[in-house]
Amino acid sequence: MKKSYYLFNPGRLSRKDNTLCFVPVDEQGHEGQARYIPVEGVDNLYCFGSLDANSAMYNFLGKNHVSVHFFDYYEHYTGSFMAKDYLLAGKMQVEQTRYYLSDKKRMVVARTFVEGAAFNMSKNLKYYQGRGKDVAKSLGQIENYSSLIAEAGNIAELMGIEGNIRQAYYGAFGEIITDFEMGTRSKQPPQNEVNALISFGNMMCYTVCLDQIYHTQLNPTISFLHEPGARRYSLALDLSEIFKPLLVDRTIFTVLNKKQIQANDFRQDVNRCVLKESAKKTFVQAFEERLKETFKHRSLGRNVSYKHLVKLECYKLQKHLLGIEVYKPFKMMW
């Protein structure tokens, strides 16, 4: 089974037959012990340090459909190397573009993303409400804002409603998380530990959605809720709205409340809060465990992983755009 690999150290990536060889290099240029990874078992590479690799290496990765995602020093996602689009289909491209160009059709799809996100955020809060957390105020605010989704007349209004829902949702984090204060949401840059974890986790969720889109016929650059950009895969932003409460926020609650990540795993750097390497590794491990976690899918009648669930969401969106069935976003039932 293919898996993701995370490269936290700077190093050099080379090929030996059908095996990837990664040699870490420290700040003084000293090489560490080489690690060998059979390419057949690699799904993605996540690079948090500088990576030295030549074009022949990327050709090899592309032929084996291995994606490489890059993050900068401050955990910002900076870009991806993706193999040639091998599943894109003309009919799917035409229909996806047609939906984007129709204000009415685009709004239908965009609303479903916000509805799904709002439902899953509420489900998270209800889970903790059942465990004695006082989140009733935030739940009431989310319910009130959610009632406005159907009335939104354009994308800008819809994005405003989504922002208010998420603000109300983040307002409950102080009740759920122990030992850390959420405060207000700060992104660029994140000002405290919880905000740093949210930003880091959201980027991880974005790359998971991007990777699963890549394995379908959808075009990741044509989106509905977020405006398509010249240098971003905006459909991944759309899908990640649904999955951030399931994948990112649940992971944050776990690593902080179980004290797997503590205050000394962060540092203040130029007016921003930064995760130390120890925190990145701990969060990534917990995030991967969440992706591998399985549950009984109601429609399929079998167990699926959360990672596969993202791909199933892509398939549902495809069917909607092709007129096969109406798209309904995934909603947590527990």
Side-chain angles (χ1 to χ4, degrees), residues 50-61:
S50 60
L51 183 68
D52 182 8
N54 59 26
S55 59
M57 182 75 256
Y58 285 106
N59 285 332
F60 178 60
L61 293 173

Side-chain angles (χ1 to χ4, degrees), residues 191-204:
Q191 296 297 311
N192 59 29
E193 297 88 350
V194 178
N195 275 287
L197 281 174
I198 291 174
S199 294
F200 183 64
N202 286 351
M203 289 297 96
M204 296 299 300

